[in-house]
Amino acid sequence: MDTKLLSLVTTLPLIAIVLVLIGIGWRNRLRRQSDVEQLPAVPAELSLPLATAAGQYVATTTAGDWLDRIAVHGLGIRTNAELTIHPEGVLFERSGASPVFIPAARLTGVRQESGMAGKFVEKGGLLVVSWTLGSRELDTGFRSRRADDKPVLLEAFQELISAAPQADADSGK
C-alpha cells in the first residue's frame, strides 16, 4: 500500500509540471505568432460548392515545416470539419472552432501527404492546401472521412487554383 501511495504522490506532481510546461509553450507560441494577420472573413454569400467532404481539419503550419503549427486564430486546433470548395475559395466549417475561409486568389497549391503536426496516416492520406496569409506561406491539412472524396476534392482544388490567376487577370488586378 505504501509503494502505491508513494508512486501516486510522485507521479501527480510530475504530470502537473508537464501540463504547466505545455501551457507555457503554447502561450509563448501565441506570443511569437502575434504578427500573423487576421483570417479573411467568410463571404455573406457563396456560390454552390464545387466539392464537399466531411472529415478532420488537422492544423495549419508554416509552409514546408510540418511541425511549426500556427496557434493564433485557432488555426492549430484539430477538429472535425466539413470542407467545401467554392469558386470564391475554400471553407472549413470546424466543429467547436471558428470557420476558416481561404479566398481562391490566395491558394498556391494542393498535394497529398502522409502527415503533419502530430497526425500521421497512410501515404497520401492527407490533403495539404498551400496558401498565403499576408506575407506568410501556410499549409493546412485535411483528412476526408471517406477515401472516395479525395480525388473529387483534388480535382476541384486544381481547377480552382488554375482558374484563380485567370480570374485576377480578367478583373484587372
Side-chain angles (χ1 to χ4, degrees), residues 18-30:
V18 167
L19 291 175
V20 166
L21 290 173
I22 289 171
I24 290 170
W26 194 257
R27 187 188 70 210
N28 288 339
R29 180 177 292 271
L30 287 169

Side-chain angles (χ1 to χ4, degrees), residues 128-149:
V128 177
V129 181
S130 297
W131 57 292
T132 58
L133 181 60
S135 62
R136 288 187 183 255
E137 294 181 19
L138 304 173
D139 288 337
T140 297
F142 180 78
R143 174 149 170 91
S144 61
R145 207 167 306 298
R146 295 173 358 114
D148 294 345
D149 291 336

Side-chain angles (χ1 to χ4, degrees), residues 51-56 80-83 112 122 124-127 142-154:
T52 302
Q56 185 179 58
N80 289 328
E82 181 177 47
L83 166 64
Q112 296 181 51
E122 75 281 356
L126 289 180
L127 284 179
F142 180 78
R143 174 149 170 91
S144 61
R145 207 167 306 298
R146 295 173 358 114
D148 294 345
D149 291 336
K150 201 175 337 162
V152 175
L153 292 172
L154 270 171

Side-chain angles (χ1 to χ4, degrees), residues 41-166:
V42 179
E45 290 188 31
L46 290 169
S47 302
L48 292 175
L50 306 171
T52 302
Q56 185 179 58
Y57 170 92
V58 176
T60 296
T61 64
T62 300
D65 187 353
W66 55 272
L67 289 175
D68 187 22
R69 189 185 303 246
I70 303 296
V72 294
H73 313 308
L75 292 173
I77 299 170
R78 182 176 307 152
T79 180
N80 289 328
E82 181 177 47
L83 166 64
T84 53
I85 302 171
H86 303 268
E88 298 85 0
V90 178
L91 179 62
F92 294 93
E93 284 284 350
R94 304 182 304 162
S95 299
S98 58
V100 175
F101 178 73
I102 306 169
R106 294 189 184 184
L107 295 170
T108 59
V110 63
R111 65 186 185 281
Q112 296 181 51
E113 294 285 343
S114 59
M116 75 182 302
K119 176 75 173 182
F120 294 92
V121 296
E122 75 281 356
K123 184 177 180 180
L126 289 180
L127 284 179
V128 177
V129 181
S130 297
W131 57 292
T132 58
L133 181 60
S135 62
R136 288 187 183 255
E137 294 181 19
L138 304 173
D139 288 337
T140 297
F142 180 78
R143 174 149 170 91
S144 61
R145 207 167 306 298
R146 295 173 358 114
D148 294 345
D149 291 336
K150 201 175 337 162
V152 175
L153 292 172
L154 270 171
E155 184 178 330
F157 268 118
Q158 289 166 345
E159 287 177 22
L160 187 60
I161 291 167
S162 65
Q166 183 61 40

